[in-house]
Amino acid sequence: MKRIFFAACLLTLAFLSTSAQDDLIADMKLFSTWFEGRFDNFAQHYDDKETKAEHPHEHIHSIFKRVDLPAIGKDVFFVQQYLDGDEAKVYRQ
């Protein structure tokens, strides 16, 4: 009886870990489709200025671009972020 219980536990764990891994792979694929692009928080920055927020957000522009670098990994992105809509004010790359 103990052997059957132990075998059932092992099969359940094997199924759950495979299912969790599949879910993680699917989530990464979905996240990767959302991650690439150009993003800007101008509306948030503008609203903070208009409402005289105590701690206003800086105006940040972000570029996330997928790059093909198989030596590093499958999902690799180039990221560049700059301030005030000025591409010369890069603060992260």
Side-chain angles (χ1 to χ4, degrees):
M1 186 67 168
K2 287 183 182 181
R3 287 183 184 175
I4 294 172
F5 177 74
F6 184 68
C9 288
L10 284 177
L11 287 173
T12 302
L13 286 174
F15 173 76
L16 289 176
S17 65
T18 301
S19 178
Q21 177 111 8
D22 291 345
D23 289 347
L24 185 60
I25 290 168
D27 288 349
M28 184 61 180
K29 284 180 182 178
L30 179 60
F31 175 73
S32 292
T33 63
W34 293 341
F35 194 65
E36 186 170 17
R38 297 177 78 99
F39 305 96
D40 193 302
N41 74 333
F42 181 76
Q44 180 183 41
H45 169 72
Y46 181 82
D47 186 62
D48 284 355
K49 284 176 63 175
E50 289 296 305
T51 61
K52 296 181 176 31
E54 184 179 349
H55 302 288
H57 290 84
E58 293 186 70
H59 178 199
I60 299 171
H61 189 89
S62 303
I63 302 167
F64 298 88
K65 175 86 173 120
R66 183 181 297 280
V67 292
D68 186 26
L69 294 171
I72 294 176
K74 181 181 171 193
D75 296 300
V76 180
F77 289 86
F78 168 78
V79 177
Q80 180 174 326
Q81 295 176 301
Y82 55 89
L83 299 171
D84 303 325
D86 184 350
E87 293 183 25
K89 292 183 176 179
V90 173
Y91 77 92
R92 182 177 297 148
Q93 193 170 49

XYZ file of all heavy atoms in Angstrom:
772
model
N 0.814 -1.199 0.000
C 0.000 0.000 0.000
C 0.859 1.266 0.000
O 0.553 2.210 -0.707
C -0.925 -0.041 1.223
C -1.927 1.070 1.259
S -3.099 0.859 -0.078
C -4.315 1.993 0.348
N 1.915 1.261 0.795
C 2.811 2.424 0.843
C 3.469 2.660 -0.509
O 3.658 3.792 -0.921
C 3.881 2.235 1.918
C 3.360 2.374 3.322
C 4.495 2.249 4.319
C 3.976 2.339 5.727
N 5.033 2.237 6.709
N 3.812 1.578 -1.208
C 4.462 1.707 -2.519
C 3.517 2.355 -3.527
O 3.928 3.196 -4.319
C 4.918 0.348 -3.028
C 6.103 -0.186 -2.307
C 6.544 -1.487 -2.899
N 7.640 -2.029 -2.125
C 8.170 -3.190 -2.328
N 7.690 -3.988 -3.272
N 9.161 -3.612 -1.592
N 2.244 1.967 -3.483
C 1.266 2.551 -4.408
C 1.100 4.038 -4.110
O 1.076 4.869 -5.018
C -0.084 1.800 -4.314
C 0.076 0.366 -4.823
C -1.166 2.534 -5.093
C -1.126 -0.505 -4.594
N 1.000 4.393 -2.844
C 0.875 5.794 -2.452
C 2.099 6.594 -2.904
O 1.970 7.683 -3.467
C 0.680 5.908 -0.931
C 0.618 7.329 -0.455
C -0.517 8.094 -0.687
C 1.685 7.906 0.217
C -0.581 9.417 -0.266
C 1.628 9.215 0.640
C 0.489 9.973 0.404
N 3.293 6.052 -2.663
C 4.532 6.720 -3.050
C 4.593 6.898 -4.568
O 4.943 7.971 -5.066
C 5.738 5.913 -2.545
C 7.051 6.568 -2.810
C 7.401 7.742 -2.163
C 7.936 6.022 -3.730
C 8.620 8.359 -2.408
C 9.146 6.636 -3.982
C 9.492 7.804 -3.323
N 4.228 5.868 -5.321
C 4.224 5.944 -6.783
C 3.228 6.997 -7.267
O 3.509 7.778 -8.182
C 3.902 4.579 -7.391
N 2.060 7.046 -6.633
C 1.047 8.034 -7.005
C 1.561 9.456 -6.738
O 1.347 10.368 -7.537
C -0.245 7.773 -6.249
N 2.252 9.636 -5.625
C 2.828 10.949 -5.295
C 3.869 11.360 -6.329
O 3.900 12.512 -6.774
C 3.438 10.935 -3.902
S 2.221 10.904 -2.587
N 4.726 10.442 -6.714
C 5.753 10.745 -7.717
C 5.134 11.116 -9.056
O 5.575 12.068 -9.713
C 6.707 9.559 -7.881
C 7.736 9.373 -6.774
C 8.567 8.111 -7.029
C 8.646 10.580 -6.669
N 4.127 10.370 -9.471
C 3.453 10.686 -10.737
C 2.782 12.051 -10.682
O 2.835 12.820 -11.641
C 2.425 9.607 -11.074
C 2.992 8.273 -11.552
C 1.878 7.239 -11.678
C 3.709 8.450 -12.878
N 2.168 12.370 -9.567
C 1.525 13.676 -9.402
C 2.553 14.793 -9.476
O 2.353 15.797 -10.162
C 0.762 13.748 -8.070
O -0.209 12.699 -8.041
C 0.078 15.090 -7.898
N 3.667 14.643 -8.791
C 4.729 15.654 -8.824
C 5.300 15.808 -10.224
O 5.566 16.926 -10.677
C 5.838 15.304 -7.831
C 5.510 15.521 -6.367
C 6.640 14.998 -5.481
C 5.266 16.986 -6.088
N 5.509 14.715 -10.918
C 6.040 14.772 -12.289
C 5.070 15.528 -13.193
O 5.472 16.376 -13.987
C 6.292 13.365 -12.810
N 3.771 15.254 -13.057
C 2.763 15.936 -13.864
C 2.724 17.430 -13.543
O 2.701 18.262 -14.437
C 1.382 15.325 -13.644
C 0.292 16.109 -14.317
C 0.115 16.023 -15.692
C -0.540 16.956 -13.595
C -0.872 16.755 -16.329
C -1.528 17.692 -14.219
C -1.705 17.588 -15.592
N 2.730 17.761 -12.257
C 2.655 19.163 -11.856
C 3.868 19.941 -12.321
O 3.752 21.069 -12.783
C 2.498 19.280 -10.338
C 1.146 18.863 -9.780
C 1.160 18.942 -8.265
C 0.025 19.715 -10.345
N 5.064 19.368 -12.214
C 6.261 20.093 -12.625
C 6.272 20.283 -14.136
O 6.682 21.320 -14.628
C 7.526 19.385 -12.145
O 7.658 18.131 -12.768
N 5.792 19.291 -14.906
C 5.708 19.435 -16.360
C 4.681 20.501 -16.715
O 4.930 21.356 -17.552
C 5.332 18.089 -17.021
O 6.312 17.129 -16.674
C 5.256 18.209 -18.520
N 3.543 20.477 -16.047
C 2.495 21.454 -16.285
C 2.977 22.861 -15.931
O 2.747 23.808 -16.675
C 1.265 21.101 -15.470
O 0.257 22.059 -15.641
N 3.656 23.005 -14.802
C 4.178 24.306 -14.385
C 5.214 24.811 -15.381
O 5.240 25.995 -15.711
C 4.773 24.209 -12.982
N 6.062 23.911 -15.868
C 7.083 24.294 -16.853
C 6.412 24.762 -18.144
O 6.815 25.758 -18.726
C 7.999 23.106 -17.143
C 9.028 23.394 -18.208
C 10.416 23.464 -17.662
O 10.648 23.163 -16.505
N 11.338 23.856 -18.481
N 5.377 24.039 -18.588
C 4.644 24.439 -19.790
C 4.008 25.807 -19.602
O 4.025 26.645 -20.510
C 3.574 23.407 -20.144
C 4.165 22.083 -20.621
O 5.370 22.038 -20.959
O 3.412 21.085 -20.643
N 3.433 26.042 -18.418
C 2.826 27.341 -18.120
C 3.874 28.449 -18.146
O 3.628 29.538 -18.663
C 2.138 27.326 -16.755
C 0.874 26.490 -16.739
O 0.384 26.114 -17.823
O 0.384 26.203 -15.629
N 5.030 28.178 -17.596
C 6.107 29.165 -17.570
C 6.570 29.506 -18.978
O 6.778 30.679 -19.307
C 7.280 28.639 -16.733
C 8.445 29.589 -16.513
C 7.982 30.855 -15.796
C 9.533 28.903 -15.713
N 6.706 28.504 -19.831
C 7.118 28.730 -21.223
C 6.061 29.563 -21.952
O 6.392 30.524 -22.658
C 7.379 27.390 -21.932
C 8.640 26.741 -21.367
C 7.504 27.577 -23.438
C 8.855 25.294 -21.782
N 4.797 29.229 -21.758
C 3.712 29.986 -22.393
C 3.690 31.425 -21.886
O 3.514 32.368 -22.675
C 2.370 29.307 -22.131
N 3.884 31.613 -20.582
C 3.916 32.959 -20.009
C 5.075 33.776 -20.574
O 4.930 34.965 -20.866
C 4.022 32.903 -18.484
C 2.736 32.448 -17.816
O 1.686 32.379 -18.500
O 2.790 32.146 -16.599
N 6.240 33.153 -20.736
C 7.406 33.862 -21.280
C 7.159 34.280 -22.725
O 7.527 35.385 -23.121
C 8.656 32.980 -21.176
C 9.904 33.669 -21.628
S 10.245 35.125 -20.613
C 11.730 35.717 -21.356
N 6.528 33.420 -23.514
C 6.213 33.777 -24.901
C 5.272 34.980 -24.940
O 5.481 35.913 -25.713
C 5.581 32.596 -25.630
C 6.567 31.527 -26.016
C 5.873 30.382 -26.750
C 6.876 29.294 -27.078
N 6.244 28.144 -27.743
N 4.245 34.959 -24.103
C 3.294 36.066 -24.056
C 3.983 37.348 -23.581
O 3.826 38.411 -24.185
C 2.127 35.721 -23.134
C 1.054 36.798 -22.974
C 0.416 37.132 -24.313
C 0.013 36.348 -21.963
N 4.754 37.264 -22.514
C 5.469 38.427 -21.988
C 6.396 39.020 -23.049
O 6.474 40.242 -23.199
C 6.274 38.027 -20.747
C 7.137 39.125 -20.212
C 6.580 40.200 -19.544
C 8.510 39.088 -20.379
C 7.379 41.223 -19.053
C 9.318 40.104 -19.894
C 8.744 41.171 -19.230
N 7.076 38.159 -23.806
C 8.004 38.632 -24.833
C 7.284 39.429 -25.917
O 7.840 40.378 -26.461
C 8.753 37.462 -25.466
O 9.630 36.894 -24.535
N 6.036 39.053 -26.218
C 5.296 39.817 -27.234
C 4.903 41.187 -26.704
O 4.791 42.134 -27.471
C 4.037 39.063 -27.713
O 3.136 38.899 -26.622
C 4.389 37.724 -28.315
N 4.658 41.300 -25.399
C 4.302 42.589 -24.805
C 5.523 43.464 -24.572
O 5.425 44.690 -24.566
C 3.624 42.390 -23.463
C 2.293 41.753 -23.472
C 1.434 41.631 -24.525
C 1.641 41.141 -22.358
N 0.300 40.976 -24.132
C 0.395 40.668 -22.798
C 2.000 40.949 -21.038
C -0.492 40.027 -21.963
C 1.111 40.298 -20.202
C -0.122 39.848 -20.659
N 6.670 42.866 -24.335
C 7.862 43.584 -23.869
C 8.490 44.438 -24.954
O 8.995 45.516 -24.685
C 8.869 42.575 -23.328
C 9.972 43.181 -22.517
C 9.709 43.808 -21.318
C 11.283 43.102 -22.941
C 10.734 44.358 -20.555
C 12.311 43.646 -22.184
C 12.031 44.274 -20.987
N 8.463 43.962 -26.191
C 9.139 44.690 -27.270
C 8.317 45.907 -27.687
O 7.103 45.839 -27.819
C 9.349 43.775 -28.478
C 10.170 44.422 -29.570
C 10.589 43.437 -30.644
O 10.020 42.349 -30.735
O 11.505 43.777 -31.391
N 9.000 47.044 -27.857
C 8.330 48.249 -28.325
C 8.928 49.516 -27.754
O 9.968 49.499 -27.097
N 8.255 50.611 -28.039
C 8.648 51.925 -27.528
C 7.561 52.370 -26.557
O 6.378 52.298 -26.883
C 8.783 52.924 -28.668
C 9.863 52.554 -29.661
C 9.900 53.543 -30.814
N 10.566 54.766 -30.438
C 11.827 55.066 -30.713
N 12.564 54.213 -31.382
N 12.357 56.201 -30.329
N 7.986 52.829 -25.405
C 7.035 53.203 -24.358
C 7.407 54.577 -23.800
O 8.585 54.928 -23.732
C 7.040 52.167 -23.229
C 6.791 50.770 -23.722
C 7.846 49.920 -23.987
C 5.507 50.330 -23.941
C 7.628 48.633 -24.448
C 5.271 49.048 -24.409
C 6.333 48.204 -24.659
N 6.400 55.329 -23.393
C 6.613 56.689 -22.925
C 5.594 56.982 -21.833
O 4.432 56.611 -21.960
C 6.405 57.640 -24.113
C 6.892 59.030 -23.840
O 6.415 59.648 -22.868
O 7.741 59.520 -24.597
N 6.010 57.637 -20.772
C 5.094 57.966 -19.680
C 4.728 59.449 -19.678
O 4.464 60.035 -18.638
C 5.699 57.571 -18.326
C 6.804 58.496 -17.885
O 7.472 59.121 -18.714
N 7.010 58.602 -16.587
N 4.665 60.062 -20.868
C 4.404 61.493 -20.937
C 3.090 61.873 -20.241
O 3.027 62.876 -19.531
C 4.391 62.000 -22.381
C 4.134 63.479 -22.460
C 5.138 64.375 -22.158
C 2.876 63.964 -22.784
C 4.902 65.750 -22.192
C 2.637 65.321 -22.819
C 3.651 66.218 -22.526
N 2.032 61.082 -20.437
C 0.742 61.406 -19.818
C 0.856 61.428 -18.289
O 0.312 62.325 -17.629
C -0.323 60.407 -20.260
N 1.570 60.477 -17.725
C 1.770 60.421 -16.279
C 2.575 61.632 -15.814
O 2.234 62.282 -14.820
C 2.493 59.133 -15.920
C 2.756 58.940 -14.455
C 3.555 57.676 -14.176
O 4.496 57.368 -14.907
N 3.173 56.956 -13.144
N 3.643 61.939 -16.534
C 4.503 63.079 -16.217
C 3.698 64.386 -16.281
O 3.760 65.221 -15.364
C 5.678 63.102 -17.203
C 6.498 64.343 -17.162
N 7.349 64.631 -16.127
C 6.605 65.372 -18.035
C 7.949 65.789 -16.363
N 7.504 66.257 -17.505
N 2.922 64.555 -17.349
C 2.126 65.762 -17.538
C 1.084 65.914 -16.426
O 0.919 67.000 -15.857
C 1.450 65.728 -18.912
C 0.616 66.944 -19.206
C 1.205 68.111 -19.664
C -0.767 66.933 -19.012
C 0.448 69.243 -19.929
C -1.536 68.054 -19.269
C -0.920 69.203 -19.730
O -1.680 70.322 -19.983
N 0.396 64.801 -16.104
C -0.622 64.837 -15.050
C 0.005 65.209 -13.700
O -0.574 65.992 -12.939
C -1.330 63.486 -14.948
C -2.488 63.527 -13.969
O -3.438 64.310 -14.207
O -2.430 62.799 -12.956
N 1.187 64.674 -13.417
C 1.880 65.018 -12.171
C 2.175 66.513 -12.097
O 2.037 67.132 -11.036
C 3.192 64.238 -12.043
C 2.988 62.792 -11.651
O 1.840 62.387 -11.375
O 3.990 62.048 -11.634
N 2.589 67.102 -13.219
C 2.867 68.548 -13.243
C 1.585 69.354 -13.049
O 1.557 70.331 -12.301
C 3.541 68.932 -14.552
C 5.001 68.542 -14.621
C 5.630 68.846 -15.956
C 5.629 70.319 -16.249
N 6.353 70.643 -17.499
N 0.519 68.939 -13.730
C -0.756 69.663 -13.650
C -1.358 69.607 -12.245
O -1.943 70.583 -11.789
C -1.753 69.102 -14.663
C -1.423 69.431 -16.098
C -1.493 70.926 -16.367
O -2.542 71.539 -16.092
O -0.481 71.484 -16.850
N -1.234 68.463 -11.589
C -1.819 68.305 -10.251
C -0.841 68.678 -9.137
O -1.169 68.543 -7.966
C -2.305 66.860 -10.037
O -1.195 65.974 -10.150
C -3.384 66.493 -11.032
N 0.341 69.133 -9.560
C 1.391 69.523 -8.613
C 1.662 68.402 -7.597
O 1.632 68.613 -6.383
C 1.043 70.829 -7.918
C 0.961 72.007 -8.882
C 0.634 73.272 -8.176
C 0.614 74.499 -9.022
N 0.265 74.495 -10.377
N 1.916 67.209 -8.150
C 2.191 66.031 -7.320
C 3.417 66.283 -6.445
O 4.373 66.943 -6.868
C 2.423 64.808 -8.202
N 3.386 65.744 -5.248
C 4.495 65.933 -4.307
C 5.786 65.325 -4.855
O 6.864 65.889 -4.699
C 4.147 65.289 -2.969
C 5.204 65.516 -1.908
C 4.835 64.902 -0.570
O 3.679 64.479 -0.383
O 5.729 64.849 0.301
N 5.691 64.163 -5.472
C 6.862 63.495 -6.053
C 6.560 63.163 -7.518
O 6.212 62.029 -7.850
C 7.190 62.205 -5.289
C 7.442 62.428 -3.836
N 8.587 63.041 -3.368
C 6.690 62.161 -2.737
C 8.541 63.117 -2.053
N 7.388 62.593 -1.642
N 6.701 64.165 -8.408
C 6.336 63.940 -9.814
C 7.285 62.955 -10.513
O 8.469 62.894 -10.200
C 6.450 65.329 -10.433
C 7.398 66.066 -9.551
C 7.204 65.507 -8.173
N 6.722 62.195 -11.441
C 7.517 61.262 -12.241
C 8.296 62.039 -13.295
O 7.801 63.019 -13.854
C 6.613 60.262 -12.957
C 5.965 59.290 -12.038
N 4.808 59.571 -11.370
C 6.320 58.035 -11.691
C 4.463 58.524 -10.629
N 5.366 57.576 -10.802
N 9.498 61.578 -13.575
C 10.254 62.150 -14.682
C 9.657 61.646 -15.987
O 9.045 60.586 -16.029
C 11.725 61.728 -14.608
C 12.456 62.311 -13.422
C 13.940 61.989 -13.465
O 14.628 62.546 -14.345
O 14.376 61.175 -12.654
N 9.857 62.412 -17.059
C 9.392 61.984 -18.382
C 10.431 61.010 -18.940
O 11.557 61.385 -19.234
C 9.250 63.198 -19.294
C 8.837 62.853 -20.675
N 9.021 63.708 -21.717
C 8.260 61.747 -21.206
C 8.567 63.164 -22.829
N 8.101 61.958 -22.536
N 10.024 59.741 -19.069
C 10.944 58.680 -19.485
C 10.449 58.035 -20.770
O 9.261 57.716 -20.899
C 11.081 57.600 -18.388
C 11.633 58.225 -17.112
C 11.953 56.448 -18.863
C 11.607 57.297 -15.912
N 11.357 57.842 -21.697
C 11.061 57.136 -22.943
C 11.912 55.872 -22.953
O 13.115 55.931 -22.688
C 11.408 58.011 -24.156
C 10.922 57.434 -25.439
N 9.677 57.703 -25.945
C 11.507 56.584 -26.298
C 9.520 57.043 -27.070
N 10.621 56.353 -27.312
N 11.281 54.731 -23.251
C 11.991 53.447 -23.223
C 11.843 52.728 -24.560
O 10.766 52.723 -25.149
C 11.419 52.544 -22.126
O 11.489 53.165 -20.875
N 12.923 52.115 -24.988
C 12.925 51.290 -26.199
C 13.386 49.900 -25.789
O 14.453 49.745 -25.186
C 13.888 51.852 -27.267
C 13.510 53.285 -27.622
C 13.905 50.944 -28.497
C 14.580 54.016 -28.412
N 12.578 48.891 -26.086
C 12.917 47.494 -25.831
C 12.862 46.782 -27.178
O 11.789 46.670 -27.775
C 11.930 46.854 -24.852
C 11.928 47.500 -23.506
C 11.112 48.577 -23.233
C 12.761 47.026 -22.510
C 11.101 49.175 -21.985
C 12.766 47.616 -21.251
C 11.936 48.692 -20.991
N 14.014 46.332 -27.660
C 14.110 45.734 -28.995
C 14.731 44.353 -28.897
O 15.810 44.182 -28.344
C 14.980 46.637 -29.892
C 15.261 46.110 -31.257
C 14.158 46.489 -32.193
C 14.528 46.113 -33.615
N 13.624 45.198 -34.215
N 14.032 43.356 -29.445
C 14.570 41.993 -29.470
C 15.792 41.962 -30.393
O 15.789 42.559 -31.463
C 13.516 41.024 -29.994
C 13.968 39.573 -29.992
C 12.896 38.654 -30.553
N 11.687 38.651 -29.751
C 11.542 37.944 -28.630
N 12.513 37.179 -28.202
N 10.425 37.999 -27.951
N 16.855 41.299 -29.934
C 18.063 41.135 -30.744
C 18.405 39.647 -30.822
O 18.080 38.874 -29.927
C 19.263 41.931 -30.180
C 19.018 43.430 -30.314
C 19.544 41.584 -28.740
N 19.048 39.269 -31.906
C 19.411 37.870 -32.127
C 20.838 37.630 -31.645
O 21.796 37.943 -32.350
C 19.274 37.540 -33.615
C 19.489 36.066 -33.909
O 19.248 35.235 -33.001
O 19.894 35.740 -35.039
N 20.970 37.124 -30.427
C 22.265 36.807 -29.844
C 22.201 35.417 -29.226
O 22.130 35.253 -28.002
C 22.659 37.845 -28.783
C 22.921 39.254 -29.295
C 23.075 40.220 -28.148
C 24.162 39.274 -30.169
N 22.209 34.358 -30.072
C 22.037 33.003 -29.556
C 23.105 32.578 -28.554
O 22.859 31.708 -27.721
C 22.052 32.128 -30.803
C 22.594 32.967 -31.896
C 22.377 34.392 -31.516
N 24.284 33.190 -28.593
C 25.336 32.834 -27.638
C 24.947 33.254 -26.219
O 25.407 32.661 -25.243
C 26.655 33.488 -28.037
N 24.091 34.262 -26.102
C 23.646 34.723 -24.788
C 22.371 34.002 -24.361
O 22.220 33.609 -23.214
C 23.421 36.252 -24.789
C 24.760 36.957 -25.001
C 22.771 36.710 -23.496
C 24.659 38.451 -25.105
N 21.440 33.850 -25.292
C 20.186 33.179 -24.957
C 19.139 33.372 -26.023
O 19.357 34.071 -27.016
N 17.990 32.755 -25.798
C 16.900 32.810 -26.772
C 16.159 34.146 -26.735
O 15.838 34.716 -27.771
C 15.932 31.659 -26.498
C 14.787 31.598 -27.458
C 13.852 30.455 -27.122
C 12.597 30.541 -27.965
N 11.547 29.683 -27.494
N 15.850 34.636 -25.557
C 15.090 35.880 -25.399
C 16.010 36.980 -24.898
O 16.188 37.160 -23.696
C 13.931 35.661 -24.423
C 12.933 34.652 -24.944
O 12.365 34.894 -26.018
O 12.732 33.612 -24.282
N 16.600 37.726 -25.843
C 17.559 38.786 -25.515
C 17.017 40.106 -26.072
O 16.583 40.169 -27.222
C 18.957 38.489 -26.112
C 19.938 39.596 -25.755
C 19.459 37.141 -25.637
N 17.051 41.148 -25.242
C 16.540 42.451 -25.651
C 17.603 43.527 -25.450
O 18.345 43.511 -24.477
C 15.315 42.830 -24.817
C 14.095 42.010 -25.130
C 13.893 40.796 -24.508
C 13.173 42.457 -26.049
C 12.780 40.029 -24.790
C 12.050 41.698 -26.345
C 11.859 40.487 -25.712
N 17.636 44.476 -26.384
C 18.421 45.693 -26.226
C 17.470 46.705 -25.591
O 16.324 46.847 -26.018
C 18.908 46.210 -27.580
C 19.463 47.606 -27.522
C 20.740 47.819 -27.039
C 18.712 48.688 -27.921
C 21.269 49.105 -26.965
C 19.223 49.979 -27.855
C 20.505 50.175 -27.381
N 17.943 47.400 -24.559
C 17.106 48.377 -23.866
C 17.827 49.713 -23.835
O 19.018 49.782 -23.528
C 16.810 47.923 -22.413
C 16.008 48.981 -21.678
C 16.098 46.590 -22.400
N 17.102 50.766 -24.172
C 17.640 52.124 -24.048
C 16.542 52.993 -23.465
O 15.411 52.957 -23.921
C 18.078 52.678 -25.395
C 18.627 54.086 -25.291
C 19.199 54.573 -26.598
O 19.760 53.811 -27.359
N 19.042 55.838 -26.868
N 16.901 53.763 -22.453
C 15.937 54.667 -21.836
C 16.546 56.061 -21.754
O 17.715 56.210 -21.413
C 15.554 54.161 -20.451
C 14.808 52.831 -20.538
C 14.503 52.247 -19.189
O 15.403 51.995 -18.422
N 13.224 52.043 -18.915
N 15.725 57.054 -22.101
C 16.213 58.429 -22.032
C 15.154 59.334 -21.431
O 13.988 58.966 -21.305
C 16.688 58.923 -23.397
C 15.707 58.828 -24.535
C 14.831 59.866 -24.808
C 15.680 57.716 -25.368
C 13.949 59.801 -25.868
C 14.810 57.639 -26.434
C 13.943 58.690 -26.679
O 13.072 58.622 -27.736
N 15.592 60.540 -21.040
C 14.746 61.487 -20.306
C 14.268 62.635 -21.174
O 14.937 63.023 -22.139
C 15.528 62.065 -19.118
C 16.008 61.065 -18.073
C 16.946 61.744 -17.088
C 14.832 60.445 -17.347
N 13.134 63.197 -20.815
C 12.589 64.433 -21.385
C 12.396 64.391 -22.893
O 12.432 65.428 -23.553
C 13.479 65.630 -21.022
C 13.639 65.791 -19.528
O 12.667 65.508 -18.800
O 14.728 66.184 -19.076
N 12.213 63.206 -23.478
C 12.025 63.099 -24.927
C 13.277 63.426 -25.721
O 13.219 63.594 -26.931
N 14.414 63.519 -25.063
C 15.682 63.873 -25.707
C 16.579 62.642 -25.783
O 17.110 62.195 -24.767
C 16.357 64.981 -24.901
C 17.634 65.493 -25.524
O 18.144 64.880 -26.496
O 18.157 66.511 -25.023
N 16.758 62.100 -26.987
C 17.553 60.893 -27.163
C 19.012 61.047 -26.734
O 19.724 60.064 -26.548
C 17.480 60.407 -28.608
C 16.098 59.914 -28.970
C 16.016 59.359 -30.374
O 17.038 58.918 -30.926
O 14.893 59.368 -30.931
N 19.467 62.270 -26.543
C 20.838 62.500 -26.077
C 20.945 62.339 -24.560
O 22.048 62.237 -24.025
C 21.308 63.906 -26.477
N 19.814 62.298 -23.854
C 19.816 62.162 -22.401
C 19.608 60.708 -21.970
O 18.740 60.399 -21.164
C 18.737 63.047 -21.762
C 18.982 64.523 -21.879
C 17.890 65.272 -21.136
C 18.124 66.752 -21.116
N 17.036 67.429 -20.399
N 20.431 59.811 -22.519
C 20.324 58.390 -22.204
C 20.779 58.169 -20.762
O 21.830 58.647 -20.346
C 21.190 57.533 -23.160
C 21.202 56.081 -22.730
C 20.693 57.682 -24.584
N 19.956 57.492 -19.978
C 20.376 57.187 -18.605
C 20.506 55.697 -18.359
O 21.029 55.279 -17.342
C 19.431 57.828 -17.575
C 18.117 57.133 -17.393
C 17.953 56.147 -16.424
C 17.027 57.457 -18.190
C 16.736 55.505 -16.249
C 15.815 56.828 -18.013
C 15.685 55.854 -17.055
O 14.486 55.216 -16.887
N 20.025 54.876 -19.282
C 20.178 53.422 -19.127
C 20.224 52.798 -20.514
O 19.458 53.123 -21.379
C 18.996 52.855 -18.349
C 19.117 51.357 -18.101
C 17.976 50.830 -17.278
N 17.995 51.443 -15.960
C 16.923 51.708 -15.237
N 15.736 51.413 -15.709
N 17.020 52.251 -14.043
N 21.187 51.889 -20.665
C 21.304 51.189 -21.938
C 21.786 49.787 -21.691
O 22.604 49.556 -20.833
C 22.273 51.935 -22.839
C 22.238 51.500 -24.268
C 23.037 52.436 -25.138
O 24.172 52.754 -24.811
N 22.451 52.894 -26.223
